Amino acid sequence: MGMLTAPWNLILTVVFAFTGVYCLVRLIAHRPPAGAPRGPVLESTAIHLMHLVMSVGMIAMCWFMMIPAALNWAQIVVFTVLALALTPGLWRAPSLARRVDLAGHIWLAAAMVWMIAAMPLLMANMGGGGHGEAAGGSMMMEMSTPPWVDVLNGVFAAGSAAIALWWVHRAATIRGERLHGLCHCLMAAGMAAMLLLMNG
């Protein structure tokens, strides 16, 4: 049994399967031209790796109620490291649009860390502790979600939805990168949906 019920588990599995496969293909096929600046190449790699791991993690959440604590901690470390790797780009970015792009990816990484760490509290209203062995390793059964968790979760969900709208704009205005924009849009929208559904 997963954390989400039908049809949401099916819908989000399709969404995250698309984003995961797209990012995997980009990681495998992308060959930067000789002499390309190292910073943007590393940023692109970090972004696609982040979304690939994120996609796999959220598909697992759709279908499995219990996820080992070690895997949760591993995800937290991976997303934290990748977000920190992208942070210097906020100052190096050649345009405001690129800064917003990077800020959006960093936000989604932070939202994923929040989702994993707060899972027992987020799913308390559903009568269970979500990850059973979540980041804190404790079971949070038969309790209500604290108001501050609801508020902070709402902030992460709203921010992710805003990022999805940004990527709709980017997909509509960047020639030759519309599939790329669509991938990031779906990731952000899926993140917002997961946060809201798990806080149900």
Side-chain angles (χ1 to χ4, degrees), residues 122-188:
L122 287 174
M123 299 191 70
N125 287 334
M126 300 174 70
H131 270 259
E133 295 181 81
S138 61
M139 298 286 286
M140 302 276 185
M141 295 294 189
E142 304 301 331
M143 62 179 291
S144 60
T145 301
W148 69 268
V149 174
D150 289 329
V151 171
L152 190 52
N153 194 67
V155 169
F156 274 112
S160 299
I163 292 167
L165 292 177
W166 167 254
W167 278 104
V168 168
H169 164 71
R170 294 287 275 164
T173 56
I174 304 176
R175 289 186 177 182
E177 291 290 333
R178 291 185 177 175
L179 190 59
H180 184 76
L182 175 62
C183 171
H184 295 327
C185 172
L186 289 175
M187 177 59 71

Side-chain angles (χ1 to χ4, degrees), residues 2 4-5 8 16 21 43 52 67 71 89 112 114 116 124 127 129 148 151 156 181 185 196:
L4 304 182
T5 57
W8 288 110
F16 295 128
V21 170
E43 285 176 3
L52 173 59
I67 296 178
L71 289 180
M112 190 68 180
W114 161 257
I116 295 168
W148 69 268
V151 171
F156 274 112
C185 172
L196 293 175

Side-chain angles (χ1 to χ4, degrees), residues 20-38:
V21 170
Y22 176 83
C23 289
L24 178 61
V25 170
R26 288 290 291 246
L27 281 170
I28 294 172
H30 182 62
R31 294 290 183 273
R38 189 163 176 261

